């Protein structure tokens, strides 16, 4: 395999398709056995984070420079947290509007779509693991994959708007775990997180924003 100086769009697309396949098959085969908490941790660490770390090691990429694990100011971190909370409220508002319109349209056709209910967790252990995955693992693993790897790859196609591609990929992935109704919500949030990285040149700002948004989602 030929080594690349930076991630390419081809690599990003292939790895993303592999991720979709793995999470889909894992949800079908392993979640009933492992439980939602354990399975979510496996998704984050094994399917999302590990491949991009291996790819970086194989190509001798600097994780600091390529995935933007660069130091940033405390001001940027605080701004990221505030933006994450604000983005969450805005995306939630848009989500409710979209789902209300869909419900009205479908009710006219004799059917009705309800807002998706949260997935239930069977045991306290699974609940704790799911909270850990949501608040700690997801911000780190998903930001490394989408705002680090995917966004950097698409900069080769569009340096100025690569964060939009990364955000849309992020939104589409959430269809697998949260249903189609969450695609709009996650896409808006993903694009906003990407813009934070684009503006600050540090993935730590989007990790902080992602963690803040997930905290409100968990609450």
């Amino acid at each position: 395999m030929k080594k690349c100086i930076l991630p390419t769009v081809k690599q990003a697309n292939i790895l993303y398709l592999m991720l979709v396949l793995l999470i889909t098959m894992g949800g079908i085969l392993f979640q009933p056995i492992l439980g939602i908490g354990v399975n979510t941790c496996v998704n984050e660490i094994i399917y999302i984070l590990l491949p991009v770390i291996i790819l970086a090691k194989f190509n001798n990429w600097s994780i600091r420079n390529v995935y933007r694990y660069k130091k940033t100011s405390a001001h940027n971190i605080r701004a990221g947290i505030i933006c994450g909370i604000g983005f969450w409220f805005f995306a939630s508002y848009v989500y409710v509007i979209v789902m209300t319109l869909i419900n009205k349209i479908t009710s006219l056709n004799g059917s009705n779509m309800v807002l998706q209910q949260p997935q239930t967790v069977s045991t306290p252990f699974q609940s704790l693991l799911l909270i850990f995955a949501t608040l700690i693992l997801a911000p780190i693993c998903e930001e490394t994959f989408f705002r680090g790897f995917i966004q950097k790859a698409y900069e080769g196609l569009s340096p100025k708007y690569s964060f939009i591609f990364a955000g849309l990929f992020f939104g589409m992935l959430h269809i697998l775990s949260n249903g189609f109704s969450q695609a709009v919500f996650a896409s808006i949030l993903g694009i906003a997180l990407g813009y934070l990285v684009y503006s600050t040149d540090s993935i730590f700002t989007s990790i902080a924003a992602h963690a803040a948004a997930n905290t409100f989602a968990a609450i």
Side-chain angles (χ1 to χ4, degrees):
M1 183 184 295
K2 184 179 179 180
K3 294 185 178 181
C4 302
I5 299 176
L6 292 172
T8 65
V9 171
K10 182 178 179 180
Q11 288 175 330
N13 292 343
I14 290 174
L15 210 59
Y16 181 78
L17 290 175
M18 290 176 58
L19 175 61
V20 170
L21 179 62
L22 287 171
I23 289 182
T24 301
M25 296 304 297
I28 296 172
L29 298 176
F30 301 133
Q31 183 165 310
I33 300 172
L34 301 176
I36 186 173
V38 175
N39 191 66
T40 302
C41 290
V42 170
N43 288 347
E44 296 293 342
I45 298 173
I46 305 300
Y47 301 156
I48 297 177
L49 181 63
L50 186 60
V52 296
I53 297 299
I54 292 175
L55 199 60
K57 293 297 182 182
F58 176 82
N59 289 285
N60 295 321
W61 294 337
S62 167
I63 292 178
R64 178 184 180 275
N65 293 323
V66 175
Y67 296 162
R68 291 188 177 90
Y69 270 86
K70 303 176 182 179
K71 290 183 179 179
T72 189
S73 66
H75 171 77
N76 284 343
I77 296 296
R78 288 193 297 268
I81 293 172
I82 294 171
C83 288
I85 296 171
F87 294 151
W88 185 87
F89 278 109
F90 175 73
S92 298
Y93 182 69
V94 173
Y95 166 71
V96 171
I97 291 175
V98 170
M99 291 306 301
T100 300
L101 291 174
I102 292 175
N103 284 335
K104 288 182 178 180
I105 293 172
T106 55
S107 65
L108 293 176
N109 295 326
S111 60
N112 190 38
M113 180 185 297
V114 297
L115 295 177
Q116 183 171 336
Q117 299 300 315
Q119 300 183 55
T120 57
V121 185
S122 56
T123 67
F125 174 70
Q126 294 290 342
S127 298
L128 289 174
L129 283 179
L130 186 59
I131 292 172
F132 173 71
T134 300
L135 303 187
I136 306 298
L137 292 182
I140 296 173
C141 299
E142 292 175 16
E143 290 310 299
T144 303
F145 187 94
F146 288 99
R147 257 59 66 181
F149 174 66
I150 296 285
Q151 188 163 324
K152 175 62 75 172
Y154 269 85
E155 283 180 3
L157 181 65
S158 175
K160 190 174 182 180
Y161 300 109
S162 57
F163 65 90
I164 296 178
F165 291 101
L168 293 176
F169 278 127
F170 179 74
M172 288 188 291
L173 184 70
H174 282 71
I175 295 175
L176 300 178
S177 57
N178 302 104
F180 182 78
S181 61
Q182 289 288 338
V184 174
F185 174 90
S187 294
I188 293 172
L189 185 61
I191 291 172
L193 293 172
Y195 185 75
L196 282 175
V197 174
Y198 172 76
S199 301
T200 64
D201 196 36
S202 173
I203 201 170
F204 289 114
T205 54
S206 67
I207 289 175
H210 195 153
N214 279 9
T215 299
F216 271 75
I219 293 173

